[in-house]
Amino acid sequence: MQDTAGTNLTGVRGRVAILNGDVTANLATNSTDVSQTKAVSGQPFQPANFRLDVNVNGASNSSDVSQIKANSGTVLSAGTSPAGSKLAPTSGASRR
């Protein structure tokens, strides 16, 4: 990692949490994500809708919808667990 002056920063740690299927970016995978992906199924991707290609194959189709449905019921929170650990589903929300 570098600062704006190009100086290498050492000892800096970061964490990234990814919720596969959360196309609405609301930290939950649920029926809204399924509906939004179904609505663009078969349409070409553009910068505004790239998140809908859940399986990253360049197309929005039933396989994306199936993957979202499989992850439905999972959620990320501000205190998301460290990388590599499993999150417990939260009622009324989604997880991956």
Side-chain angles (χ1 to χ4, degrees), residues 61-78:
N61 51 38
S62 61
S63 62
D64 296 300
V65 173
S66 295
Q67 192 166 353
I68 294 168
K69 285 181 177 180
N71 293 318
S72 188
T74 57
V75 65
L76 291 178
S77 66

Side-chain angles (χ1 to χ4, degrees), residues 18-41 45 47-56 59-61 63-69 71-72 74 76 94-96:
I18 298 171
L19 183 58
N20 192 10
D22 179 18
V23 301
T24 58
N26 67 352
L27 303 180
T29 304
N30 53 36
S31 61
T32 304
D33 300 295
V34 172
S35 297
Q36 190 168 351
T37 303
K38 281 183 176 181
V40 300
S41 185
F45 284 105
N49 66 0
F50 75 95
R51 294 177 61 94
L52 302 172
D53 184 12
V54 177
N55 62 8
V56 196
S60 174
N61 51 38
S63 62
D64 296 300
V65 173
S66 295
Q67 192 166 353
I68 294 168
K69 285 181 177 180
N71 293 318
S72 188
T74 57
L76 291 178
S94 306
R95 165 208 127 84
R96 166 150 177 356

Side-chain angles (χ1 to χ4, degrees), residues 78-92:
T80 301
S81 58
S85 63
K86 300 275 184 183
L87 298 174
T90 302
S91 82

